[in-house]
Amino acid sequence: MLLTLLGFGMVITFMTLIMTKRLSPLVALILVPIIFAVLGGFGAGIDKMMLDGIRKIAPTGVMLMFAILYFGVMIDAGLFDPIVGRILRAVKGDPLKIVVGTTVLALVISLDGDGSTTYMIVVASMLPLYRRLKMNALSMTCLAMLASGVMNLTPWGGPTARAASALHVDAGDIFVPLVPVMGVSIVAILVLAVFLGLRERRRLGVLSLPEGASLHAGYDEDGPKNLPEIEVDHDLRRPKLLWVNAGLTLALMVSLVMGVLPLPVLFMIAFAVALIINYPNLAEQRRRVAQHAGNVLSVVSLIFAAGIFTGILSGTGMVEAMSRSLLAVIPDALGPYLAGITALVSLPFTFFMSNDAFYFGVLPILSEAAQGYGISPVEMARASLIGQPVHLLSPLVPSTYLLVGLAGVEFGDHQRYSLKWATMVCMVMLAAALVFGLFPLVGSAA
């Protein structure tokens, strides 16, 4: 009982501190778990717990470090300039079209199953538009996250693979029936994009941009006025290498999907090659690294701090205690409804603990109990995936720190803005799953 209270107390204290902006996420991730571990009497073994957590998250930190550097070089070289230019001409200064375009872009890129890549490309492509037109960047981070949460249910995405491994079922058996549910969820996200876009349009109006307008040009006649200029160093642009950079990025994406090498290694190699191709001068290479060092430090430091948080959460046994206490509150009479209950509790479970803890610790227990009511493991696996859009708001998800860091928004602001919409998408997924019969509302032994 003490561990349960400590676990929930630690997570709630952390969330309260960052959402009320009393502490920065970096400081809270380090200090809050240490204080709670000491209060729980785990001071003697806290060093090992923290190091274990850091070791587990180290590959993610290295991957994000070199991914930020790689896409930083690509942005400097102007790889995304044609994309942004075409989008600007297509949207004609209409916030509605910009928000919908952001969502479509995120949905397409999310097919690779890697949220970090999605966020980097979407933010690099769309953030200049949001800044230029004074739009709310939180709508961009919210929709990119929701798109990633739904599209990451592919077999090569993390949640489905974890559920399949934990319950020893085929990932294809989980995924194929999920396709229509994902389709309905995509429609829901696009409807939300239209709603948020209309809200931005009402606030800002439609800004008529003159023909041939550049993203970085100012307008005084029939266009936006007094907008902040976005500085561009044209000396860094490499228009002659556009297709070379595009080919390198495409090869990197294909290699990521095929799993040719581990993600950190792929990004390290790609960054080294990109730097040599675009900026062979050693002094310029140092300047490029220094230019993006701030983004790297702000994101990677959070990743390793999150390793301390998760290491203590797991090492003290708080995660297991939280799981058991949450399962204990489900009455026996609700046993036949375990599939639906699993879908619902996947929202808070995957928010308060990592996907690994939920899928390998909690889900097998729920599935074993559900089999007594005629609910198969594959049905339980599908039900467990419903909460993924809310999961991405968890402070334990490294890629979310990357998203808010690149977009320049506060983590707590992103959570407050996105939580209700993420919950709505989860409810749409649940309703669609029941309609399409992905799992039974009531077990056969009811």
Side-chain angles (χ1 to χ4, degrees):
M1 184 64 180
L2 176 60
L3 281 177
T4 301
L5 293 175
L6 280 173
F8 282 113
M10 185 170 85
V11 174
I12 293 170
T13 300
F14 170 79
M15 297 303 303
T16 302
L17 288 172
I18 65 169
M19 293 185 77
T20 57
K21 299 183 181 179
R22 301 290 179 85
L23 286 179
S24 68
L26 178 63
V27 174
L29 281 168
I30 297 171
L31 294 183
V32 171
I34 292 175
I35 291 171
F36 274 82
V38 172
L39 289 175
F42 296 98
I46 197 172
D47 53 344
K48 183 178 183 301
M49 297 176 198
M50 291 191 290
L51 285 175
D52 286 344
I54 291 172
R55 287 191 191 99
K56 289 179 181 177
I57 212 160
T60 301
V62 173
M63 185 271 290
L64 290 178
M65 176 190 297
F66 284 95
I68 293 170
L69 289 172
Y70 174 80
F71 283 104
V73 169
M74 290 294 107
I75 293 168
D76 290 338
L79 174 63
F80 300 106
D81 284 357
I83 299 174
V84 175
R86 287 188 178 89
I87 292 173
L88 182 64
R89 289 191 293 271
V91 299
K92 298 295 183 184
D94 187 348
L96 171 60
K97 293 180 181 178
I98 292 173
V99 174
V100 173
T102 299
T103 308
V104 172
L105 181 63
L107 287 167
V108 172
I109 298 174
S110 294
L111 281 170
D112 71 349
D114 178 31
S116 301
T117 304
T118 300
Y119 298 153
M120 284 184 286
I121 294 176
V122 169
V123 174
S125 301
M126 303 304 296
L127 185 60
L129 288 172
Y130 282 77
R131 286 180 175 171
R132 189 77 180 133
L133 303 181
K134 296 183 179 179
M135 294 174 61
N136 187 359
L138 289 172
S139 60
M140 176 185 65
T141 60
C142 172
L143 291 165
M145 180 205 70
L146 293 177
S148 180
V150 171
M151 300 305 289
N152 203 29
L153 299 181
T154 53
W156 52 88
T160 302
R162 286 180 175 90
S165 300
L167 299 184
H168 307 290
V169 296
D170 186 81
D173 292 339
I174 300 173
F175 172 70
V176 174
L178 270 175
V179 172
V181 174
M182 292 173 64
V184 172
S185 303
I186 290 170
V187 171
I189 294 172
L190 290 172
V191 170
L192 173 61
V194 171
F195 170 76
L196 296 178
L198 287 172
R199 193 162 70 178
E200 286 289 84
R201 180 194 275 178
R202 285 193 296 269
R203 184 173 69 89
L204 299 168
V206 177
L207 305 174
S208 178
L209 304 185
E211 283 297 322
S214 166
L215 177 62
H216 312 290
Y219 315 106
D220 294 320
E221 185 178 348
D222 299 323
K225 302 173 183 179
N226 301 319
L227 294 177
E229 288 295 325
I230 300 173
E231 295 183 6
V232 178
D233 190 343
H234 294 285
D235 292 337
L236 296 177
R237 293 296 191 258
R238 298 292 185 266
K240 294 182 179 179
L241 294 175
L242 177 64
W243 291 109
V244 174
N245 288 327
L248 177 61
T249 303
L250 179 61
L252 173 61
M253 295 299 105
V254 172
S255 300
L256 289 173
V257 173
M258 294 179 62
V260 175
L261 289 171
L263 265 64
V265 175
L266 285 172
F267 272 109
M268 291 174 75
I269 295 172
F271 165 68
V273 173
L275 200 60
I276 292 173
I277 291 174
N278 291 280
Y279 307 106
N281 182 274
L282 292 181
E284 188 58 51
Q285 289 180 8
R286 286 194 294 270
R287 284 194 289 269
R288 290 306 89 223
V289 173
Q291 175 68 30
H292 301 290
N295 282 338
V296 171
L297 181 61
S298 63
V299 172
V300 176
S301 61
L302 282 169
I303 299 305
F304 286 110
I308 290 178
F309 192 100
T310 55
I312 290 177
L313 199 63
S314 300
T316 57
M318 291 181 192
V319 167
E320 295 178 12
M322 292 163 68
S323 304
R324 288 195 300 269
S325 63
L326 287 170
L327 293 174
V329 302
I330 301 176
D332 293 339
L334 295 180
Y337 305 93
L338 269 175
I341 290 172
T342 298
L344 289 173
V345 301
S346 68
L347 278 71
F349 270 46
T350 58
F351 182 87
F352 287 112
M353 59 184 69
S354 67
N355 267 348
D356 286 335
F358 175 67
Y359 286 108
F360 294 112
V362 178
L363 183 58
I365 300 172
L366 288 169
S367 179
E368 186 176 349
Q371 289 183 54
Y373 299 94
I375 304 172
S376 68
V378 72
E379 290 171 330
M380 290 295 289
R382 295 171 194 151
S384 70
L385 298 171
I386 298 299
Q388 283 305 299
V390 167
H391 164 70
L392 292 181
L393 284 170
S394 169
L396 306 178
V397 178
S399 61
T400 305
Y401 293 108
L402 174 66
L403 174 63
V404 298
L406 293 177
V409 301
E410 292 292 332
F411 189 89
D413 292 341
H414 171 66
Q415 286 182 315
R416 281 193 297 271
Y417 183 92
S418 304
L419 182 58
K420 58 181 177 295
W421 304 124
T423 303
M424 181 201 74
V425 171
C426 289
M427 293 302 101
V428 170
M429 290 178 66
L430 175 57
L434 292 173
V435 169
F436 288 107
L438 266 65
F439 49 82
L441 179 61
V442 183
S444 60

